[in-house]
Amino acid sequence: MVMEEGVQRDRGRGTPATPGAEARQIFVELGEQNFDAICLSTYRTACKLRYIQKRCNLHLIDIYNVIEAVRDAGLNAVELHAGISVIRLENLVSSLFNQLSKRLPTTHTINPRESTVLLVEFLLAAVDSEPDSRLTVLSVKAMLSMLCGGKLVDKLRYVFSQVSDSGGVLVQSKFDGFLREALKLPTALHEGPSFGYTHTLARSCFPQHKRVMLNMFLDIVADPPQCLVWLPLMHRMANVENVYHPVSCSYCRGNGITGFRYRCLRCRGYQLCQNCFWRGNASGSHSNKHQMKEHSSWKSPATKLGRALSRTLGCVSSREPPHPIYPEEPEMTLNLANIVPSRPIRNTSEAMLLSSSAPESSKSLSAAQRMNEEHALIAAYVNQLQSSPSSVNSPSRQDEEHKLIARYTSRLAETDGTGVIPKRSIDFDVNKQKRELIAQLECKNREILAEIKRLRAEHDAACQSSPEKGSTNPTLLAELRLLRQRKDELEQRMSSLQESRRELMVQLEGLMKLLKAQAAGSSHASPSRPSPSTVRSVGAVSPQAYMYPPQDSLAGVGGDVQEAFAQGPRRNLRNDLLVAADSITNTVSSLVKELHSDDVREEEERLLNGKDRAG
């Protein structure tokens, strides 16, 4: 797209539409984005509306969701210029965002209440942007269709359906009303001087004295009128938000460009990012008056060369139209008069009589008349169901319904070119047997599942009751209590025995020191070296017995003692004491082991007695 940067530059931002507009939350947040620094009014308006769209989460709502919500709210049955209350508007917007929150994945959540409040605030501010204006059905449809997401072609088709007559021709008065309501959006954003409504706008959008059909109306996509030039731009901005261009901006020297890329047609290799271009930044020999080309995608030099060669050789087809080509005449709507009868029919037999009492000359009726007859039968059956809802689930009623459907489908399938529907008897017994077989299999399946569930519950109950029985037996609990007390008593006795042993060891250590002192005194008294003596050991000897060399324990002792030991072989008193201490230690250990074995035996007997009692 070739453009000049000076178009619509600094055409007045306008004044706030209402004195309290700054107090609204969405307008305060919009002012913090500093969009007023953008010089071009078209881009400034599109940026503001795009921010409103994303802030209110309207970019996640398609035009078809809006159509469905408007239909569910009952606004299609109301005149376009009829007034609508704020509560009804809030309910409509709330249903939009509640349905959106259900459709979104769990990773992407929104706050429906906050989005509803923000959008209603903005719509009311847009309505109040013009004096003596009120909230109407047309204003709600026009604003929501302009702000929601989706394809621009689908939005314009919906708008055309609202401003055209039954013949598919644009009605200027309706289109003028649509422009009045749609242009309240930029007016509420203080862009009224550039895109405000005037009474001559509707006449200037399309050629005069010419019928405007749907395809001509959709040309707004490629060549929009001046008052709606921001609408296609907003959609293009949404499409290029994540487009990356691997080139640097010639002004800000940024590493890569995201969004739009603008290339100067006069300065070679001069490119600007969208922020620099929108704000009128220029450097070097480049001027803001130079023509710039807008790029919404990146193509490598090889791709450009290949497309140029293909275009030169005629291998590339001509450009596709900017929008699909639709038939000029609108599609005929269904005539529901044949489906709903003029008077209610009491029972199905009456409807059958109406369909079968025709004379033989009725075979020449057209296919459409016979279709109407079948529609009347179905409508009669529906009326009967509504009059007696209690008999809907009866077997006879289901068989009758299946017969009607089978008859209708067979006639539809076998209609020949002459429009005569041949009669054919349909065997319903086969379908009935199949249904009965399926019902039996489903019944058996339900029985098997119930049996599996019952067995699983019994197994779980048995597994849970076994530990509970042991834990709730009072006799077994008393036995366990006594065993714990006996264990505590044995541990106390064990600790007392260990303390006694510790005292004996201390006494033996004192005797050892005394013996060493005596041996040292005897060695000083007699310098002659005593002869080694034979050590008699009983049981296991403590390692402390070998820490010192053997000495004659009778050396230096009185004569009476020597005489007492003179008759037998010479004995070592210190070794005898050590052997005695070891024997005492072994005896105490064996006693402790024996006590411990008796206690363990008693505990085992008590446990066996407890199990026998529990059994």
Side-chain angles (χ1 to χ4, degrees):
M1 183 180 80
V2 179
M3 64 187 71
E4 294 195 12
E5 290 184 298
V7 177
Q8 293 185 351
R9 185 187 302 275
D10 295 327
R11 287 184 58 184
R13 272 59 168 179
T15 57
T18 57
E22 294 84 2
R24 301 180 188 271
Q25 177 185 355
I26 194 165
F27 287 96
V28 173
E29 296 177 0
L30 181 64
E32 295 174 356
Q33 304 300 317
N34 195 24
F35 289 127
D36 288 333
I38 299 176
C39 299
L40 302 176
S41 60
T42 304
Y43 287 94
R44 186 171 63 246
T45 305
C47 287
K48 290 181 179 180
L49 288 174
R50 177 62 179 167
Y51 176 80
I52 295 292
Q53 186 187 53
K54 295 181 68 176
R55 183 65 181 86
C56 297
N57 293 313
L58 274 174
H59 65 293
L60 303 174
I61 297 177
D62 196 77
I63 181 62
Y64 296 104
N65 304 132
V66 174
I67 295 172
E68 182 180 359
V70 169
R71 182 195 63 202
D72 294 340
L75 298 184
N76 289 337
V78 185
E79 292 293 332
L80 291 178
H81 297 285
I84 181 174
S85 63
V86 178
I87 297 177
R88 198 169 183 181
L89 174 63
E90 290 178 352
N91 294 334
L92 170 62
V93 176
S94 177
S95 66
L96 272 175
F97 290 112
N98 287 332
Q99 293 297 326
L100 173 63
S101 63
K102 295 177 182 178
R103 294 192 304 269
L104 289 177
T106 56
T107 55
H108 190 178
T109 58
I110 64 169
N111 187 353
R113 178 60 184 166
E114 181 186 8
S115 301
T116 301
V117 172
L118 292 176
L119 181 57
V120 170
E121 282 185 358
F122 178 71
L123 293 180
L124 293 179
V127 172
D128 296 338
S129 61
E130 288 188 1
D132 301 331
S133 62
R134 62 193 183 98
L135 184 64
T136 61
V137 176
L138 180 60
S139 60
V140 173
K141 290 183 176 181
M143 293 180 187
L144 288 180
S145 61
M146 293 295 101
L147 288 176
C148 70
K151 296 181 180 180
L152 180 58
V153 175
D154 296 335
K155 295 165 115 179
L156 293 177
R157 287 181 63 194
Y158 174 69
V159 171
F160 187 79
S161 68
Q162 300 297 313
V163 298
S164 60
D165 56 12
S166 59
V169 181
L170 181 71
V171 179
Q172 287 291 334
S173 59
K174 293 183 178 181
F175 182 63
D176 182 76
F178 163 75
L179 284 181
R180 179 189 292 271
E181 302 299 333
L183 294 180
K184 288 179 181 178
L185 297 176
T187 304
L189 299 176
H190 312 159
E191 299 295 335
S194 300
F195 301 106
Y197 170 77
T198 58
H199 296 283
T200 59
L201 281 178
R203 300 174 184 173
S204 62
C205 291
F206 299 102
Q208 294 297 318
H209 308 292
K210 190 175 182 180
R211 296 175 58 187
V212 179
M213 308 297 286
L214 176 59
N215 292 315
M216 185 182 298
F217 185 79
L218 293 180
D219 289 338
I220 295 176
V221 177
D223 187 17
Q226 187 61 37
C227 60
L228 294 175
V229 69
W230 48 269
L231 181 60
L233 178 60
M234 185 175 68
H235 282 264
R236 294 204 311 273
M237 289 173 59
N239 294 331
V240 301
E241 280 183 347
N242 300 318
V243 174
Y244 178 76
H245 306 266
V247 293
S248 60
C249 177
S250 300
Y251 181 83
C252 64
R253 304 296 178 183
N255 187 13
I257 296 175
T258 302
F260 286 119
R261 175 173 56 92
Y262 297 91
R263 179 172 58 88
C264 182
L265 299 180
R266 187 178 300 181
C267 303
R268 182 177 180 83
Y270 193 88
Q271 302 183 91
L272 292 175
C273 63
Q274 62 182 16
N275 291 329
C276 295
F277 174 75
W278 293 348
R279 287 163 176 79
N281 297 331
S283 61
S285 60
H286 177 70
S287 173
N288 290 333
K289 296 182 180 180
H290 292 179
Q291 287 186 343
M292 304 287 287
K293 185 173 183 180
E294 182 181 271
H295 295 273
S296 58
S297 63
W298 167 257
K299 297 176 184 177
S300 62
T303 305
K304 292 180 181 179
L305 179 61
R307 290 185 64 86
L309 291 175
S310 301
R311 194 180 298 110
T312 303
L313 298 174
C315 299
V316 178
S317 59
S318 59
R319 282 190 175 183
E320 297 181 356
H323 59 81
I325 304 301
Y326 296 95
E328 294 294 339
E329 296 295 331
E331 297 180 359
M332 297 298 295
T333 58
L334 293 175
N335 186 8
L336 301 181
N338 297 322
I339 298 177
V340 181
S342 57
R343 63 181 181 88
I345 301 176
R346 297 299 180 87
N347 49 28
T348 313
S349 59
E350 184 179 353
M352 293 294 185
L353 289 174
L354 289 174
S355 61
S356 60
S357 61
E360 293 297 329
S361 60
S362 61
K363 292 182 180 180
S364 60
L365 294 176
S366 62
Q369 292 176 344
R370 293 190 177 274
M371 292 284 287
N372 296 342
E373 180 184 349
E374 300 297 337
H375 292 161
L377 289 174
I378 296 173
Y381 183 72
V382 171
N383 290 332
Q384 185 177 1
L385 291 181
Q386 291 177 353
S387 61
S388 59
S390 59
S391 62
V392 173
N393 297 325
S394 61
S396 60
R397 184 69 60 192
Q398 292 181 358
D399 293 339
E400 189 176 9
E401 179 183 358
H402 291 308
K403 288 179 182 180
L404 283 173
I405 296 174
R407 178 180 176 182
Y408 180 62
T409 53
S410 63
R411 290 199 178 188
L412 287 179
E414 298 183 2
T415 303
D416 54 3
T418 59
V420 179
I421 303 176
K423 295 182 180 179
R424 179 186 175 185
S425 62
I426 301 175
D427 188 8
F428 299 102
D429 295 334
V430 178
N431 295 333
K432 188 175 181 180
Q433 291 176 0
K434 289 181 180 179
R435 289 197 303 272
E436 291 177 354
L437 179 60
I438 292 172
Q440 292 176 2
L441 293 176
E442 289 178 350
C443 183
K444 287 186 176 294
N445 188 23
R446 284 194 295 268
E447 292 177 357
I448 293 171
L449 291 176
E451 185 69 18
I452 292 173
K453 186 177 180 180
R454 185 183 62 81
L455 293 175
R456 189 173 296 167
E458 292 178 357
H459 180 266
D460 295 340
C463 293
Q464 293 177 359
S465 61
S466 58
E468 291 177 357
K469 288 181 180 178
S471 61
T472 56
N473 192 351
T475 307
L476 189 58
L477 289 175
E479 294 291 337
L480 289 175
R481 234 179 262 112
L482 291 174
L483 287 175
R484 289 195 188 96
Q485 293 177 1
R486 184 61 178 167
K487 180 182 177 184
D488 295 338
E489 293 175 359
L490 290 175
E491 288 178 353
Q492 292 177 1
R493 290 179 60 186
M494 181 81 72
S495 61
S496 63
L497 289 174
Q498 289 178 355
E499 187 68 24
S500 301
R501 180 185 176 189
R502 197 176 296 110
E503 292 176 358
L504 287 174
M505 294 298 295
V506 171
Q507 292 177 2
L508 287 174
E509 188 177 358
L511 288 174
M512 290 288 294
K513 290 180 180 179
L514 182 60
L515 288 173
K516 264 200 276 185
Q518 290 178 359
S522 62
S523 63
H524 288 298
S526 59
S528 60
R529 187 175 181 180
S531 60
S533 61
T534 306
V535 179
R536 181 170 57 89
S537 63
V538 179
V541 181
S542 173
Q544 295 178 354
Y546 300 100
M547 291 176 61
Y548 305 98
Q551 298 287 339
D552 191 359
S553 59
L554 297 177
V557 183
D560 295 334
V561 178
Q562 290 180 355
E563 289 176 1
F565 287 91
Q567 296 178 1
R570 296 188 64 186
R571 301 174 64 183
N572 193 331
L573 182 59
R574 184 167 68 87
N575 292 335
D576 291 341
L577 290 173
L578 290 173
V579 169
D582 289 334
S583 63
I584 291 171
T585 303
N586 293 332
T587 303
V588 171
S589 300
S590 62
L591 177 62
V592 170
K593 290 180 180 179
E594 187 173 358
L595 290 173
H596 184 66
S597 63
D598 292 340
D599 295 336
V600 171
R601 197 175 299 109
E602 289 179 3
E603 288 179 1
E604 292 178 353
E605 291 177 356
R606 289 178 182 274
L607 287 174
L608 290 174
N609 293 332
K611 290 182 179 179
D612 294 337
R613 292 174 185 175

